[in-house]
């Protein structure tokens, strides 16, 4: 007699603070069996809070063929919510990290006093200049298992509505079908994907020429920005008054006389900061007292010598002349 199967345990609604959302993966021609996939979601809580974090949802274990359209439709229409309430979807491979693109929310009490030195336009051009690439050979990106995504809603209320709708769907046993109603809106998978990949491997000559010209233009702009930045380093001394030695000839203010003048100007700007610390004030008072003591001892020696010379003073002829006249 075959053993009876063990009764299945009910699926928990949350795991380690993540809410579970079950989705059904439709059958494929190569594997005509549907499967259940579990998506884990919770409000986004980055280490550095940003304005968009309060209205963002963090997703874990997104399906391999996830696209922005898939997640937008899943968290809106397929959960019974109106569409258009999602501002942006950032997948892990190609996402634009929120913490890098938006200024973090800083507590005013923890903010440092003083002005921050702004980066020059040349430095920004070198660091943020995006390179170009040849035309893509894949029309759709696939991901590995266990990847994450960040869904940014238009406001906090839309985030809370989607979060509650996911909980309601899980409790009621409603399982949305992944990609339902999106036929024709995303590139196809299967053999059609590889047929198109084979065709994209041989792009049009005009497209390749345009991509190469754009790349060379940005490369020339990058080199020009690098030259301007190096020239700026050769002309401006650092906080200690030294000139940075870089490749290339010295020109203009980088000469010796001009460099000394710039160093003197830098020292004048820093004048008044020598008494910033308490020990500097004590050392300055001590040095001043020692200088006064040295002058006092010098004056005592002068007075002593004058007293010694007073007894050796002799009357010259001028006094004899005065006595004769009287």
């Amino acid at each position: 007699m075959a053993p009876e199967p063990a009764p299945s345990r009910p699926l928990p609604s949350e795991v380690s603070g993540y809410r579970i959302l079950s989705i059904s993966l439709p059958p494929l021609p190569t594997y005509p069996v549907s499967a259940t996939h579990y998506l884990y979601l919770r409000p986004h809580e980055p280490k550095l809070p940003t304005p968009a974090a309060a209205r963002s949802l963090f997703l874990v274990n997104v399906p391999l063929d996830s696209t922005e359209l898939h997640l937008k439709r899943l968290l809106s229409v397929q959960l019974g919510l109106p569409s258009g309430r999602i501002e942006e979807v950032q997948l892990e491979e190609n996402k634009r990290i929120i913490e890098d693109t938006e200024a973090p929310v800083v507590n005013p009490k923890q903010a440092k006093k003083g002005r921050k030195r702004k980066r020059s336009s040349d430095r920004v051009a070198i660091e943020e200049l995006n390179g170009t690439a040849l035309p893509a050979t894949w029309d759709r990106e696939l991901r590995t298992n266990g990847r994450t995504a960040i869904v940014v809603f238009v406001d906090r209320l839309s985030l809370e509505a989607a979060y509650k709708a996911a909980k309601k769907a899980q409790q009621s046993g409603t399982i949305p079908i992944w990609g339902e109603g999106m036929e024709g809106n995303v590139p196809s998978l299967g053999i059609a994907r590889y047929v198109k990949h084979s065709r994209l491997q041989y792009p049009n000559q005009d497209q390749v020429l345009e991509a190469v010209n754009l790349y060379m233009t940005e490369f020339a702009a990058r080199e020009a920005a690098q030259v301007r930045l190096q020239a700026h380093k050769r002309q401006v001394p650092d906080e200690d008054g030294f000139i940075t030695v870089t490749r290339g000839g010295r020109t203009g203010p980088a000469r010796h006389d001009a460099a000394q003048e710039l160093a003197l100007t830098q020292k004048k700007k820093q004048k008044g900061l020598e008494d910033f610390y308490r020990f500097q004030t004590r050392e300055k008072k001590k040095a001043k007292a020692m200088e006064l003591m040295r002058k006092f001892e010098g004056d005592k020696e002068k007075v002593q010598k004058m007293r010694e010379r007073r007894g050796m003073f002799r009357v010259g002829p001028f006094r004899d002349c005065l006595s004769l006249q009287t």
Side-chain angles (χ1 to χ4, degrees):
M1 181 177 180
E4 297 181 358
S8 59
R9 297 180 180 180
L11 189 68
S13 58
E14 291 187 3
V15 174
S16 300
Y18 286 86
R19 185 160 294 175
I20 300 177
L21 177 62
S22 302
I23 57 178
S24 176
L25 302 180
L28 300 175
T30 56
Y31 187 74
V33 178
S34 60
T36 303
H37 185 86
Y38 299 103
L39 193 65
Y40 305 92
L41 57 156
R42 65 172 175 82
H44 187 40
E45 297 177 356
K47 294 181 180 179
L48 295 178
T50 61
R55 50 188 176 89
S56 301
L57 199 63
F58 184 68
L59 279 65
V60 180
N61 196 32
V62 296
L64 306 181
D65 58 343
S66 300
T67 62
E68 184 175 350
L69 294 177
H70 278 94
L71 295 177
K72 280 186 176 181
R73 184 171 180 83
L74 173 65
L75 297 176
S76 58
V77 177
Q78 292 186 273
L79 292 180
L81 301 175
S83 59
R85 306 303 297 174
I86 297 178
E87 178 180 319
E88 184 182 7
V89 175
Q90 301 177 356
L91 297 167
E92 185 173 352
E93 284 83 3
N94 58 358
K95 70 179 180 180
R96 180 172 50 83
I97 303 297
I98 299 178
E99 290 81 1
D100 294 339
T101 56
E102 297 185 2
V105 179
V106 182
N107 189 352
K109 297 182 179 179
Q110 299 177 354
K112 294 183 179 179
K113 297 181 180 180
R115 299 180 179 178
K116 292 184 178 179
R117 183 177 300 175
K118 296 183 179 180
R119 294 185 299 176
S120 63
S121 58
D122 294 337
R123 187 180 297 274
V124 174
I126 293 173
E127 293 180 355
E128 299 181 358
L129 187 62
N130 295 324
T132 57
L134 294 174
T137 58
W138 294 98
D139 59 348
R140 182 174 174 180
E141 184 179 2
L142 297 181
R143 290 157 185 85
T144 56
N145 189 24
R147 295 296 180 179
T148 62
I150 298 175
V151 181
V152 183
F153 291 82
V154 294
D155 51 24
R156 178 73 179 182
L157 295 178
S158 301
L159 166 65
E160 294 176 353
Y163 200 56
K164 292 178 181 178
K167 181 180 180 181
K168 183 179 180 181
Q170 189 68 22
Q171 291 178 348
S172 62
T174 304
I175 302 179
I177 299 177
W178 180 252
E180 184 181 18
M182 296 184 57
E183 295 78 5
N185 294 330
V186 293
S188 302
L189 298 176
I191 189 63
R193 167 181 170 84
Y194 293 95
V195 170
K196 192 168 185 179
H197 170 65
S198 178
R199 196 165 56 244
L200 292 175
Q201 284 183 317
Y202 304 94
N204 188 5
Q205 184 177 2
D206 295 337
Q207 295 179 353
V208 177
L209 182 61
E210 182 181 0
V212 171
N213 290 336
L214 182 59
Y215 176 82
M216 295 305 298
T217 301
E218 293 191 355
F219 181 77
R222 184 192 298 266
E223 282 194 332
Q226 182 70 29
V227 171
R228 289 193 297 268
L229 182 61
Q230 295 296 332
H232 179 74
K233 288 182 178 179
R234 290 195 299 267
Q235 294 173 5
V236 179
D238 56 11
E239 296 179 355
D240 298 327
F242 294 99
I243 299 295
T244 304
V245 179
T246 58
R247 297 181 62 181
R250 291 186 174 185
T251 57
R255 295 175 181 175
H256 182 69
D257 297 338
Q260 287 185 347
E261 183 179 354
L262 288 174
L264 183 60
T265 304
Q266 187 72 13
K267 289 182 179 179
K268 288 182 179 179
K269 290 182 179 179
Q270 295 181 349
K271 188 177 182 181
L273 299 178
E274 61 273 7
D275 297 338
F276 184 78
Y277 296 101
R278 185 175 297 176
F279 77 92
Q280 292 176 331
T281 305
R282 291 198 302 266
E283 293 293 334
K284 187 176 180 180
K285 291 182 178 180
K286 185 177 179 180
K288 188 175 181 180
M290 294 296 293
E291 181 68 18
L292 292 175
M293 288 293 297
R294 187 184 61 81
K295 291 182 179 181
F296 176 71
E297 294 295 335
D299 293 340
K300 285 177 62 177
E301 292 180 1
K302 290 181 182 180
V303 172
Q304 184 65 25
K305 291 180 180 180
M306 291 176 63
R307 289 177 178 176
E308 292 177 356
R309 288 198 301 266
R310 182 179 301 176
M312 300 172 60
F313 182 74
R314 296 180 179 180
V315 180
F318 179 74
R319 186 170 181 180
D320 297 338
C321 295
L322 291 177
S323 62
L324 293 175
Q325 290 179 358
T326 54

